[in-house]
Every structure is written in structure tokens, then in C-alpha cells.
């Protein structure tokens, strides 16, 4: 179990989630609309660590990834709600 957890955290290697906005054309409403998604970005990779040092580093990386996912996820949800209302106001049906 410990090895599985360590392998999962090592796979993160300082990845954070960031919101990404894309613009698409909605043919039904005849407007350009925006949509937000989460995108994983790797900030850094660590290569050399030992015992407790490695454990502390893995915990920090995991906490950072989790915090970025929660915060960025909230931003994406709020942004998509705003974009949905904007689309409804501009829709030409």
C-alpha cells in the first residue's frame, strides 16, 4: 500500500491544475461562446531524495496538487456559470 501511494504521488511530480478558457462557435445560437476546463501543468520534477526527505516532499507535492485542484475547480465552475448566462443572453434562436 505504501509503495502504491508513493508511486501515485511520484507520478504527480509537482503537477498543479489550472483553469483554461477556450472559445467555440455555437451554431444553434449563432454566437461564439467561452468554456473553462481544468488543465494539468507540471511545474517541476524532483529526482534525488532519501527516506524522510522524500516522504515530506511527496506530502507537500500531494497537498499542492490537491489544493490547486480544489481552487481551480471552483474557478472553473463559477466561470462556466457566468459563460452560460452570457450565452443565454446573446443566443439568437
Amino acid at each position: 500500500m505504501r509503495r502504491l501511494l508513493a508511486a501515485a504521488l511520484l507520478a504527480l511530480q509537482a503537477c498543479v491544475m489550472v483553469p483554461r478558457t477556450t472559445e467555440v462557435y455555437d451554431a444553434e445560437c449563432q454566437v461564439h461562446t467561452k468554456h473553462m476546463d481544468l488543465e494539468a501543468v507540471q511545474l517541476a520534477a524532483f529526482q534525488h531524495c532519501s527516506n524522510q526527505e522524500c516522504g515530506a516532499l511527496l506530502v507537500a507535492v500531494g497537498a499542492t496538487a490537491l489544493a490547486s485542484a480544489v481552487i481551480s475547480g471552483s474557478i472553473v465552475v463559477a466561470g462556466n456559470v457566468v459563460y452560460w448566462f452570457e450565452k443565454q443572453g446573446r443566443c439568437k434562436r
Side-chain angles (χ1 to χ4, degrees):
M1 182 65 176
R2 291 176 76 190
R3 287 184 186 203
L4 181 63
L5 179 61
L9 288 175
L10 261 174
L12 290 173
Q13 295 204 18
C15 283
V16 294
M17 302 301 283
V18 294
R20 180 177 59 108
T21 302
T22 56
E23 189 170 319
V24 295
Y25 181 72
D26 186 347
E28 184 180 331
C29 286
Q30 301 175 351
V31 294
H32 287 280
T33 61
K34 294 182 182 178
H35 178 74
M36 294 184 87
D37 296 316
L38 283 178
E39 181 178 5
V41 176
Q42 184 175 350
L43 296 179
F46 54 91
Q47 297 172 357
H48 302 289
C49 63
S50 61
N51 299 335
Q52 290 179 339
E53 176 185 284
C54 193
L57 190 56
L58 288 174
V59 168
V61 167
T64 301
L66 180 63
S68 73
V70 169
I71 292 169
S72 295
S74 300
I75 291 169
V76 167
V77 169
N80 281 335
V81 167
V82 169
Y83 290 147
W84 183 83
F85 278 117
E86 180 182 27
K87 176 184 169 185
Q88 298 307 310
R90 295 174 45 209
C91 190
K92 300 174 185 173
R93 289 188 190 166

